[in-house]
Amino acid sequence: MDIHRCRFVPYPPSAINALAFSHPSSVDIHGKGPTTLRLAVGRANGDIEVWNPLKGVWFQESILRGGKDRSIDGLAWIQDPDDEDRNGWKVPGKLRLFSIGYSTAVTEWDLALGKPAQHSGANHGEVWCLAAQPRWQAPKGAVQGTEKSTSQEAEFRGQHLAVGCADGSVVLLSTADGELRYLRTLTRPSKKRARVLSITFQNRDTIIAGYADSAIRVIDIRNGQEKRGMSLGAGPKDGPREILVWSVRCLSDGTIVSGDSTGEVRFWDGKNYALLQRIKSHKADILDVATSADGNTVVSGGMDRRTTVYRRVGGGSNGDRRRWVEISHRRFHLHDVKTMAAYETKDLSILASGGLDTAPLITPLREFGREYHRWLSSLPQLPQIVSSPSKRLMMSWWDQEVSLWRLVARTRRGSGAEEDQTGVDTRSRKLVAKIAVKGEENLTSADLATNGSMLAVTTISETKVFHLRQHKLETSDALRVQKVDLPQSIAESGAKLVKFSPDSRWCAIVRPENSVQVCRATQSEPTKESPRFLPKLVDLKRLPRDPIAPKLQHGSLGNYDRSVTRIAFSADSRILVVCDLSGYLDSWVLEGHEDLTQQDDEPEDDTKSSTSFDDDDSDEEGHPLVILGQQWIRNPVASLLPKLGAASLVLSFRPSKASSSSALSNGNTAVHPTRHNPHPHSHDLPDGEDRLFALTCEHQMYEFEVLSGRLSGWSRRNPTSSWPTEFRQNRDRAMGLVWDTDLGKQRIWVYGSSWLWMFNLSKDLPPVAREGPRFEDADVNNANEANKLKRKRRRERRPSEIKDPRKHTTGAGSKIPSGELGGRFGREYRKTNNGLDPEDSRWITMDREPTPASDDEDDDAVNGSSLTKLRRTLRNEAETNGGNGGDDAMDLDNQHPVNGDLAVVRKEAERSLAHWHTLKYRPILGMVLIGGGPDEASQGMDQEGNYDEAPEGVEVALVERPMWDVELQPRFYGDQEWDK
């Protein structure tokens, strides 16, 4: 495989201005947080990223797109009060997300639709800060029916929003009944009209606000009166007169913590509001402060790139007064630390931070200094890179701009390509088109047709298609871009995803409400004429699924789990599969053969172009929407496809060399209209390649036979437990894959932001080497004997041998080895009860013990290994006996051999590696195919499968976007920084 390493794609990552967790910290919650826990990341370009911690895995679920001249500068989550259904079951309240952006409006976002749900504006200045009221909790000792409980029942149990404005006013917004409306103004602008820079709630009735006039004010929301004012004094001698209070937070005991422009963290008494302590810990402004759930840890970040940790010490039996001390500071970030958010449970304790360096950082909070920190990728999880291999075109898009590049083929190394003085090939790529999409919203999706003739872009409100053709001047490499006139049914509705079929005849569109539609494009043979889209839209009904809301106890995300995130066409364009965040797969097949002579059943009226979503499925089956002799129907075995364990990151069909079916120019002679059947159509189902490769966010890999509704034989013989340990334990999630089926290969190249893996599907994966005696006797048939071995080995092994440094962490990075902790003692010691007798001793860990975990995972691995051996044995016996092995035969004996030559596949399986990986490329924005493939494979092979010439193989473009190529604003340099 020939890799073109590209760094010329100008993808501009945006700065992080706001972070917010969907749930408040609580040490009473077991595990690593509720299943609905999410982290919202607000960026300067108006986008909001929704991240799922996934028990420490961290994967980007979706992006709520912003627009032109918009910014996200504050985020807040609330949860509606719980309710009860008719049966008395508890219905968890809905989680709601709000944002501000230096305007007078507060925006609520619909996570399922991916767009704003409603706005709230009032007669006040620009909103600078936002805070949510703490959640209501039933008072202790309140008995139902008493006077105290009756007064509590009349109390509002929702969460109001408080916003601080540029004119110095503090406004209260109501979120009752699912609305967002102005409630009242708590404080009016003062004479100085000082901006409210930060705001938080001390309790449900008290607001703490930090101003730009060296003051912190305490406000009672019940009467709108200012209870107390706390002055920070005058500014430094050489600096501004006023001190800016950039951040205020409250601890669990009511103590107030503030960070200001002088680089000081100040602690204030929560009852009499007196200054307790001040610590000068930063060389520049402190921009944000975060606190732990128990109130004993505070973290600050600022313009000097420092992340400083403070701990409360003292207060023991000797009567010492408790005080705060700075225990450590690190420069994790490359630029200003603008925002922080902390979340803690019994087993999860993390601090998320971000700033101008565009990448979120996850730092251990409780285990700070004992676990590594972890960077999340600043690049999108779904690659924004698409290609047209036949035309050697590569498309990249961001915000409201689309760029098209043509990559020049490299026939032989040293073929005389022009190079500059640095040795870089200056003719390896050419910018052939650049499109600036008109409108206010950022692009949500874009796709390039396989033949390179069409380009589709979508926003949340509209869809556009452009026709691409070669320039009239033969010497010009630029493409002519012409907008295609679309029917109103297509153009006036936005979309989340858009995807062309491999034959460029169909276009699948996923609407904001997560409905799936398919439209037909027709184009004459010479591509000079603009394509025409038929006004009829086919509504593809998704299977109804059982709701999971009754299983939730910590808030509901509504229909967000049913959001479609991945879409894939089969190689013959006759199978369509989508996957949502909950892991459900929906599939449809294209029935019949194309007939260009067949007339449409209905007039081309945009108002009748698509069926209603309220129609019953029986209506669709009774009168299917036939377009040119073909119709999309639900896969007959769609319900047999199992639910994935998590959301899919990669969804891709195996490529096939089978030629696409040609249109019937003289009509379909096998179908004739009759009086009882005026709308005849063929019922032939696709019979091509139907194997679908799916990779979930937990790095579980499956291959399905979509038309059979089952796992393929290769996937059954190679379960997730048989995949390499390095791949399964990789913390960076996969982004996409490229198929290499050229010249008899069956390889997939899976890539993430920092790694690239190759897997050879023409052979079974080698057994995974498992360390330790735990797996030496995995095939013990006697269950009692196996249980005895497990109990004995559990007693003998030390905690460090039992625990994987990647497991039992608090949600950030792996554990730091004991030898690198910097102290004199390790993590554990050995306790003996009978002198130095090793038989009567045990190892005691000094770390906080995590929640006990069962051996189910290891048992599943053992059972999976045994089942894998059985399936592979059956396949070998079938091959020895001369049979094909039935369902357990290798894929090289499958009814769809790659490239139609079985000898080549067998030869490739014998001489190639099962897997390979590298960490050479990073960070990866995307990798796409630009040349080679089955259609361009060499045909010069003999009967033994040998090629006359050395094969070139496939060509891919691997796009990197390192941070050192990103232009950042000038940063602050301290006295002891020498990397200026």
Side-chain angles (χ1 to χ4, degrees), residues 611-925:
T611 58
S612 173
F613 289 100
D614 297 333
D615 294 343
D616 190 76
D617 291 344
S618 60
D619 296 337
E620 181 183 350
E621 296 174 0
H623 188 276
L625 185 59
V626 180
I627 299 179
L628 300 180
Q630 295 178 307
Q631 64 167 348
W632 285 94
I633 64 171
R634 182 178 295 157
N635 182 13
V637 296
S639 59
L640 298 181
L641 291 175
K643 177 181 177 295
L644 302 178
S648 176
L649 294 178
V650 180
L651 208 62
S652 177
F653 280 90
R654 285 206 186 201
S656 174
K657 195 184 177 183
S659 60
S660 58
S661 59
S662 59
L664 301 177
S665 59
N666 296 326
N668 193 341
T669 58
V671 178
H672 303 279
T674 63
R675 182 178 61 181
H676 300 288
N677 186 17
H679 308 284
H681 59 275
S682 174
H683 293 277
D684 292 341
L685 295 177
D687 57 357
E689 179 64 78
D690 68 332
R691 285 176 291 179
L692 174 70
F693 186 87
L695 173 61
T696 70
C697 59
E698 295 179 348
H699 274 194
Q700 297 175 343
M701 292 190 178
Y702 306 96
E703 189 180 47
F704 299 100
E705 295 177 357
V706 178
L707 298 181
S708 302
R710 62 181 180 181
L711 289 172
S712 66
W714 188 92
S715 186
R716 290 195 295 271
R717 294 191 310 273
N718 298 272
T720 302
S721 58
S722 65
W723 290 80
T725 304
E726 296 86 350
F727 177 79
R728 290 186 287 110
Q729 293 183 351
N730 199 327
R731 293 186 180 274
D732 292 336
R733 299 296 90 185
M735 298 172 60
L737 67 81
V738 172
W739 288 93
D740 183 6
T741 58
D742 192 10
L743 308 180
K745 302 184 183 71
Q746 293 191 53
R747 299 177 179 176
I748 55 173
W749 294 81
V750 186
Y751 64 91
S753 61
S754 60
W755 49 265
L756 176 64
W757 276 81
M758 184 278 293
F759 297 100
N760 190 351
L761 305 186
S762 63
K763 57 171 36 177
D764 290 332
L765 296 173
V768 178
R770 305 188 184 277
E771 301 178 356
R774 169 72 173 87
F775 297 96
E776 292 178 358
D777 302 316
D779 296 330
V780 176
N781 295 324
N782 190 336
N784 294 331
E785 192 68 22
N787 291 333
K788 291 180 181 179
L789 287 174
K790 285 191 289 185
R791 289 194 297 267
K792 180 179 178 181
R793 290 160 184 164
R794 189 181 296 113
R795 291 192 302 265
E796 293 175 352
R797 295 163 62 188
R798 296 173 53 177
S800 60
E801 297 174 351
I802 298 175
K803 295 180 181 179
D804 187 339
R806 295 175 179 265
K807 297 181 180 180
H808 307 299
T809 62
T810 57
S814 303
K815 290 183 177 295
I816 300 178
S818 299
E820 300 179 8
L821 289 178
R824 297 177 57 187
F825 301 98
R827 296 180 179 273
E828 56 195 19
Y829 62 93
R830 191 169 188 172
K831 181 179 180 180
T832 59
N833 297 327
N834 187 16
L836 299 178
D837 186 5
E839 297 295 334
D840 192 14
S841 64
R842 60 194 181 105
W843 287 93
I844 305 297
T845 178
M846 293 186 292
D847 291 341
R848 180 180 179 271
E849 287 292 336
T851 302
S854 63
D855 293 334
D856 293 341
E857 182 178 352
D858 292 339
D859 293 341
D860 292 341
V862 173
N863 297 334
S865 177
S866 302
L867 187 58
T868 300
K869 291 181 180 179
L870 176 60
R871 288 170 175 167
R872 295 181 180 180
T873 302
L874 293 176
R875 185 258 302 168
N876 294 332
E877 292 178 355
E879 288 186 344
T880 304
N881 297 332
N884 59 4
D887 294 336
D888 292 316
M890 285 192 68
D891 290 333
L892 53 88
D893 293 325
N894 194 279
Q895 57 182 346
H896 305 298
V898 175
N899 291 344
D901 196 299
L902 190 59
V904 178
V905 179
R906 290 185 181 276
K907 190 176 186 64
E908 168 67 18
E910 294 175 358
R911 66 186 180 185
S912 59
L913 296 174
H915 57 80
W916 175 86
H917 73 281
T918 180
L919 303 177
K920 177 180 179 181
Y921 311 103
R922 61 175 62 188
I924 299 176
L925 177 62

Side-chain angles (χ1 to χ4, degrees), residues 19 23 28 82 91 94 104 129 193 274 281 319 358 391 448 464 548 578 598 603 642 692 752 841 853 856 885 925 968:
L19 295 168
H23 294 71
D28 297 331
D82 297 338
V91 178
K94 182 181 179 181
T104 59
C129 51
R193 302 182 68 88
S281 54
T358 74
K391 301 295 184 180
L448 182 65
K464 297 180 180 180
I548 60 176
V578 300
Q598 189 177 62
L692 174 70
S841 64
D856 293 341
L925 177 62
L968 299 177

Side-chain angles (χ1 to χ4, degrees), residues 484-495:
V484 178
D485 293 333
L486 297 177
Q488 294 182 1
S489 57
I490 302 177
E492 295 184 355
S493 299

